[in-house]
Amino acid sequence: MRIGITADANMQPTTAPRLRLAPYVRKSLVDVLVKNDITPVILPIAKPEMAAELVGMVDAIIIPGGPDVSPALYGEDPHQRIGMTYLPRDEFEFALLRESVQQKKPVLGICRGVQIINVAFGGTLYQDLNSQLDGAAIRHEQVPDAAFPTHYINVEENSFMAQSQGTHPFVNSKHHQAVKVVAPGFHVTARANDDVIEGIENEDQSIIGVQWHPEAFWQDHAEQEQLFLDFFQLVRDRQGQ
Ligand code: MN
């Protein structure tokens, strides 16, 4: 089985011209695929018109973390506290998502991934939780390394996520944005104790989004590797249909 992972563009300061905006994927995400005999295919930001061919090359897509989603895509100006945005990646991932639905290829969105999914299908985001959500009481931009979980979430029973995560998993948190208005056709599957949305999925469970970073701590947390294993199984099950 082949799974495409959308690449980020390197925006770290660098003196090496070859590394400027270079496509890259976090190694621990590639590793969880390779360990479980899934062939990883890194999808660099390309023309949106290439989405059909690229999605056709893989069995499913994973959209990992990265910069904030451009708020123009949900009809807002940038808030004072918004972080880095990168419109070419937004537009490319919009095209990949449209094409994934068209070709019936499942999608797993992680962190920014759940956010771009929500915006692509008509939802909105908090551009900055601390300044825009009264009652956001939890530090969602955790200081410890993402290898360590810091807050609990409450998972809806009967969701894809509940299978592998149980109802009360302990997760990491490296986000200052979150889903605000949920996109039509999607529902919330997990919330933090301050009600911040931590997971969504669509009605046929072919598009799954999580706000935490399972790829950053699966090595020491079997239930986080299980999230990937359950996604791989979901992809296999859909192939039989
Ligand atoms: Mn969080």
Side-chain angles (χ1 to χ4, degrees), residues 41-241:
V41 180
I42 297 177
L43 306 176
I45 298 163
K47 289 181 191 169
E49 306 85 75
M50 294 175 176
E53 189 174 356
L54 291 169
V55 170
M57 290 164 51
V58 296
D59 301 301
I61 299 274
I62 296 179
I63 303 182
D68 288 352
V69 176
S70 306
L73 294 172
Y74 46 95
E76 293 183 13
D77 288 322
H79 183 272
Q80 288 284 351
R81 302 288 304 275
I82 196 166
M84 175 70 79
T85 57
Y86 190 57
L87 195 55
R89 181 171 168 189
D90 297 336
E91 290 174 338
F92 180 59
E93 288 180 338
F94 263 41
L96 285 179
L97 282 164
R98 272 195 299 273
E99 213 30 65
S100 298
V101 170
Q102 196 70 26
Q103 297 187 27
K104 297 187 166 55
K105 305 277 174 78
V107 179
L108 173 64
I110 295 171
C111 195
R112 168 204 159 81
V114 67
Q115 297 168 4
I116 194 87
I117 287 168
N118 191 54
V119 173
F121 293 101
T124 68
L125 305 177
Y126 289 105
Q127 293 191 41
D128 181 65
L129 282 172
N130 285 346
S131 41
Q132 292 186 312
L133 179 60
D134 287 344
I138 291 171
R139 183 166 180 128
H140 288 277
E141 281 183 293
Q142 73 178 48
V143 180
D145 188 272
F148 303 101
T150 58
H151 74 69
Y152 287 92
I153 59 172
N154 304 299
V155 175
E156 294 295 320
E157 287 174 29
N158 303 321
S159 61
F160 164 84
M161 211 176 293
Q163 297 168 29
S164 57
Q165 301 291 289
T167 54
H168 204 53
F170 194 34
V171 300
N172 57 16
S173 195
K174 287 276 184 182
H175 59 111
H176 81 117
Q177 301 201 316
V179 170
K180 187 177 177 184
V181 176
V182 180
F186 284 76
H187 59 273
V188 175
T189 54
R191 288 180 188 270
N193 285 329
D194 60 0
D195 276 346
V196 165
I197 293 173
E198 294 273 344
I200 63 172
E201 60 194 40
N202 66 347
E203 268 146 32
D204 71 359
Q205 298 187 335
S206 59
I207 307 179
I208 312 288
V210 301
Q211 185 56 71
W212 69 98
H213 285 276
E215 83 287 3
F217 67 134
W218 62 267
Q219 295 88 341
D220 298 319
H221 294 265
E223 78 286 1
Q224 298 302 326
E225 183 173 10
Q226 191 61 43
L227 181 66
F228 290 103
L229 293 172
D230 288 345
F231 181 69
F232 303 153
Q233 189 57 48
L234 179 153
V235 177
R236 274 183 213 105
D237 293 345
R238 301 287 154 134
Q239 286 175 325
Q241 290 174 7

